[in-house]
Every structure is written in structure tokens, then in C-alpha cells.
């Protein structure tokens, strides 16, 4: 009889221990899979965006975006990625933003990215970065973001004889965007360009790499260097620079070597910078 009581008590103790373990396991799963701070979720987003061109403002209505277009948003440290598909925007953002809130946000749109991943976006010389400080509203029923985006860089192309190949030094452009830190890494690598049949190279979206606005162009076995005025390569401005040649390089210093690095110039002017009144191709 005593043995049976001991066995019964042991079974009760064992069941209680198992119950505690199950409760702890469920609690742990809830913490891991529930809506803890930082957990990402997706919801519908209303977007009111405009894109500032390189001369004038052009509105981008929702219908003018293409499936897969993405806009990156920093809600004061909480990052979200909005994506356009099937006529509407959805955003993947942390649960921290589920509570009713509104305020300012940083907005980035990258056009012509060479590749887009969930954590990084790679850019080329033809990628265009648009930035803005926008406003957002977040309620239980809806979320909206409005922003007037403008180019973060200038755009420049080079005029010369069709087929001419040049190397350009002294330009700075964005190379990669890190989604989690909401930051760009930059490169000052040489840019290789070829003059097309219309007499111009492709556009490069960039700024000067140095405070002295120094530029070097390698062409026809020689390097041409000079410094430009402060109005050249300003963000949001567009223009072209005529490629200097051995027979025409007024305002440029010339060197018969092709490995010349930029270390300053005695010239300071902008006569070779030609402002353009053209809209960027945003379609």
C-alpha cells in the first residue's frame, strides 16, 4: 500500500515537472516568434512622392512606378523597405511602428541600381540616388509617407569625337547602400567612358572627390588636369564637359603620362562646364 502511494506521488511529481517544462518552452517560443520589438511585419502603405529632376520637379504618381521598385525609409532608427507591386505599396517594417505615431523620416530611392538584395544595394555610374526628409503617419488602420525627393548628386557627360575612349579621375559616387545602417559607401575609382555616335558619353551621377574640384581626363595617351569653379557638379545640376585633346586643351594642364594622379591645378574656372536644361530619364 505504501509502495503504491509512493508510486502515485512520483507520477504526480513527474507530470508537474513536465507541465513546467512545456510552459517554459511555449513562453520561449512566444518570445522568439511573437511580436517582440524589432520583429518585421508587412502592411499596406500610402505613398505620396515627387521626384525633383535636374532642372524641374516632376511628380511620380503611384501608377508610374514599376513592379519591384523599392523605397528605403528610416523612421528615426527603425528601418523599413517599401515595395511597389500590383498597383500598391507595401512596407516591411519593425513592430515598433505598430503603435499610433507620426513624425519625420529619411527617404531614399535608387534608380537604375545594378543589383538589389534584402540587405545591400549595389550601384553603378548610371545609378541615380534621390533623397529627402519626409513625413509619416502611422495609425492602427493605415500608414502613409510623403516626401519630395531630389537628386543627391550632379550628373555629367563628356562631349567629343564618336569612338573616343577616356578615363576620368576625381569623381566620387555611391557604390553601395547598406539597408540596415541606412548608409552609403562611396568610391573614387577611375571611370571608363566611350563617346557614342551622338557625340557624348553616358551620364555619370557623381560629385567631385576633392574640395578643390579637381578633375583629370586621360585621352589619346595624355592626361589633362584642371580645377573647376564651385558651380560645377552641384547636386541636382546637369551639364557636359568638352574632352580636351592634344590640339585643343585651353585651361587644362597636360602631361604625356597616363598614370598622373590629381594633386592640384593652377587653373580655376568653369569655361568648359556647360549647364544643361534637361530632365533625367525617370521612366
Amino acid at each position: 500500500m505504501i509502495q503504491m502511494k509512493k508510486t502515485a506521488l512520483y507520477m504526480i511529481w513527474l507530470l508537474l515537472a513536465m507541465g513546467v517544462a512545456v510552459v517554459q518552452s511555449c513562453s520561449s517560443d512566444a518570445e522568439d516568434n511573437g511580436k517582440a520589438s524589432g520583429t518585421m511585419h508587412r502592411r499596406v502603405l500610402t505613398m505620396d512622392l515627387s521626384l525633383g529632376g535636374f532642372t524641374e520637379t516632376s511628380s511620380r504618381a503611384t501608377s508610374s512606378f514599376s513592379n519591384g521598385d523599392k523605397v528605403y525609409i528610416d523612421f528615426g532608427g527603425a528601418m523599413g523597405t517599401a515595395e511597389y507591386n500590383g498597383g500598391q505599396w507595401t512596407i516591411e517594417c519593425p513592430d515598433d511602428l505598430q503603435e499610433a505615431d507620426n513624425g519625420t523620416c529619411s527617404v531614399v530611392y535608387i534608380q537604375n541600381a545594378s543589383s538589389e538584395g534584402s540587405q545591400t544595394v549595389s550601384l553603378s555610374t548610371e545609378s541615380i540616388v534621390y533623397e529627402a526628409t519626409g513625413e509619416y503617419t502611422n495609425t492602427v488602420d493605415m500608414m502613409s509617407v510623403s516626401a519630395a525627393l531630389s537628386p543627391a548628386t550632379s550628373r555629367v557627360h563628356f562631349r567629343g569625337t564618336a569612338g573616343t575612349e577616356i578615363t576620368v579621375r576625381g569623381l566620387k559616387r555611391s557604390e553601395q547602400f547598406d539597408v540596415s545602417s541606412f548608409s552609403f559607401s562611396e568610391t573614387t575609382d577611375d571611370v571608363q567612358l566611350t563617346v557614342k555616335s551622338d557625340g557624348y558619353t553616358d551620364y555619370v551621377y557623381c560629385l567631385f572627390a576633392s574640395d578643390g574640384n579637381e578633375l583629370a581626363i586621360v585621352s589619346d595617351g595624355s592626361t589633362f588636369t584642371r580645377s573647376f569653379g564651385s558651380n560645377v557638379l552641384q547636386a541636382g545640376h546637369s551639364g557636359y564637359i568638352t574632352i580636351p585633346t592634344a590640339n585643343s586643351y585651353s585651361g587644362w594642364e597636360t602631361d604625356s603620362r597616363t598614370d598622373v594622379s590629381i594633386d592640384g591645378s593652377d587653373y580655376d574656372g568653369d569655361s568648359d562646364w556647360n549647364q544643361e536644361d534637361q530632365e533625367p530619364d525617370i521612366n
Side-chain angles (χ1 to χ4, degrees):
M1 186 69 176
I2 294 174
Q3 183 64 34
M4 291 179 63
K5 287 183 177 180
K6 287 183 177 180
T7 301
L9 288 173
Y10 174 76
M11 293 298 296
I12 292 172
W13 176 86
L14 183 61
L15 289 172
L16 287 173
M18 292 176 62
V20 170
V22 169
V23 170
Q24 288 179 337
S25 176
C26 291
S27 176
S28 177
D29 289 344
E31 290 177 2
D32 293 340
N33 302 321
K35 294 183 178 180
S37 177
T39 301
M40 304 298 286
H41 72 288
R42 187 172 293 276
R43 63 185 299 187
V44 175
L45 173 69
T46 300
M47 293 279 272
D48 180 15
L49 299 178
S50 64
L51 277 187
F54 286 85
T55 53
E56 298 177 5
T57 299
S58 58
S59 177
R60 285 288 295 261
T62 299
S63 60
S64 67
F65 282 90
S66 301
N67 287 341
D69 279 355
K70 295 180 180 179
V71 173
Y72 304 93
I73 307 172
D74 178 4
F75 299 94
M79 313 304 175
T81 300
E83 183 171 351
Y84 180 79
N85 274 302
Q88 71 175 13
W89 288 93
T90 57
I91 186 168
E92 187 177 13
C93 58
D95 284 323
D96 305 60
L97 294 173
Q98 285 196 47
E99 301 297 329
D101 194 11
N102 61 78
T104 59
C105 56
S106 298
V107 183
V108 166
Y109 171 58
I110 301 172
Q111 194 172 40
N112 302 332
S114 56
S115 67
E116 286 184 296
S118 60
Q119 296 300 317
T120 58
V121 181
S122 298
L123 291 78
S124 70
T125 56
E126 298 178 31
S127 299
I128 315 170
V129 176
Y130 294 90
E131 298 177 322
T133 297
E135 296 183 352
Y136 75 93
T137 299
N138 184 33
T139 67
V140 176
D141 299 323
M142 60 85 68
M143 186 176 188
S144 65
V145 171
S146 61
L149 293 154
S150 59
T153 67
S154 175
R155 70 172 187 176
V156 59
H157 56 174
F158 298 84
R159 185 175 70 173
T161 303
T164 299
E165 297 180 352
I166 62 173
T167 298
V168 184
R169 299 183 182 129
L171 301 179
K172 175 179 64 178
R173 63 179 182 83
S174 295
E175 183 177 39
Q176 185 170 280
F177 177 68
D178 184 82
V179 177
S180 60
S181 64
F182 210 78
S183 61
F184 285 93
S185 58
E186 297 177 330
T187 179
T188 57
D189 288 349
D190 293 355
V191 178
Q192 315 291 332
L193 298 168
T194 301
V195 180
K196 300 180 295 184
S197 59
D198 63 357
Y200 294 88
T201 66
D202 289 329
Y203 278 108
V204 179
Y205 296 84
C206 58
L207 296 170
F208 282 116
S210 71
D211 294 335
N213 293 357
E214 296 152 331
L215 192 71
I217 296 178
V218 180
S219 177
D220 292 332
S222 296
T223 301
F224 303 88
T225 60
R226 69 173 296 166
S227 291
F228 284 86
S230 60
N231 66 320
V232 180
L233 293 195
Q234 291 182 332
H237 290 269
S238 177
Y240 68 86
I241 293 173
T242 301
I243 299 171
T245 67
N247 297 321
S248 178
Y249 57 91
S250 177
W252 296 79
E253 287 186 329
T254 182
D255 195 301
S256 59
R257 297 171 297 165
T258 59
D259 59 350
V260 176
S261 60
I262 296 176
D263 57 2
S265 172
D266 295 332
Y267 300 100
D268 186 4
D270 53 21
S271 59
D272 281 345
W273 167 258
N274 298 273
Q275 194 78 18
E276 294 177 323
D277 295 322
Q278 296 182 16
E279 285 283 320
D281 181 7
I282 62 173
N283 296 316

